[in-house]
Amino acid sequence: MSFKASIITLFPDMFPGSLGSSLAGNALEAGIWTLETADLRAFGKGKHRQVDDTPAGGGAGMILKPDVLADAIDSVSTGSDVRPRLLMSPRGRVLDQAYARELADGPGAVIVCGRFEGVDDRVIEARNLHEVSIGDYILSGGEPAAIVLLDAVIRLLPGVMGNEDSGLNESFEKGLLEHPHYTRPQSFEGREIPEELTSGNHGKVDQWRLEQAEKLTREKRPDILERHTTKNGKKES
Ligand code: SAH
């Protein structure tokens, strides 16, 4: 069974976008995942297919209408659909590698992309939407966020990455940033590849990589190291 993504958007042209190239694009062609878009405009009300309206209580901007969103969601997801329904939203759970894995282990996702000032809050509860953020900044719409989320998820689907192993060593997977990388030439503008990596001693290579990963994480993301050491029982027991 392939992973099925259904996107609800005012801008279906934005898909597959970058997901049509490289790893994700090949996987799409191979049927490892499938993509469907529902054009919000098609569910708009009246002659002008209105999808948004002014905010109750006044203020700037427009709000996506709950009835229009609900109809669009219902068109791609019926009662028997077990896929999680996500709303891209700056106030949601922040996407991380663990959440990407959780989604990749599931059957797919229905993803609602907000626009303008956002969506009428009532549709979130009415359609059981889980809010997901890609970070603490404001985008002009949920589409780029949906693409980021799907990119992180798709590369984890079985058969997408050539070397199944390569995902497991990556930054965040073990609670550490990944060690630094080098490739030929041996000498680049007077800078050499660290000798530990060219020693041919695998034990030495592994030890160096772990030390470097810990050092990098300590320097650049001490917040991650905190979680790593806590998880491994070195801090709390
Ligand atoms: N008025 C809202 C921002 C609306 S931005 C606020 O102040 O919180 C318009 C849409 O872009 C949102 O509905 C959401 O779908 C999307 N969006 C913006 N920033 C995002 C983020 N960091 N993560 C996920 N989606 C985001």
Side-chain angles (χ1 to χ4, degrees), residues 6-9 36-46 49-51 64-79 85 110 112 120 122-124 126-127 129:
S6 300
I7 317 278
I8 291 135
T9 171
E36 156 188 62
T37 53
D39 183 352
L40 206 50
R41 185 65 63 188
F43 298 89
K45 303 292 176 191
R49 297 221 168 274
Q50 186 184 353
V51 297
L64 289 174
K65 288 162 63 60
D67 44 353
V68 173
L69 283 164
D71 286 351
I73 293 166
D74 295 345
S75 78
V76 296
S77 181
T78 58
R85 294 170 176 176
V110 175
V112 179
D120 184 308
R122 292 169 295 178
V123 77
I124 297 173
R127 287 299 177 276
L129 304 181

Side-chain angles (χ1 to χ4, degrees), residues 62-64 87-93 112-119 131-146:
M62 297 295 273
I63 311 297
L64 289 174
L87 169 66
M88 302 319 298
S89 162
R91 70 184 195 196
R93 166 181 179 180
V112 179
C113 301
R115 274 277 152 183
F116 316 125
E117 284 307 312
V119 308
E131 293 177 87
V132 185
S133 167
I134 63 162
D136 292 344
Y137 40 81
I138 302 296
L139 303 167
S140 52
E143 290 81 4

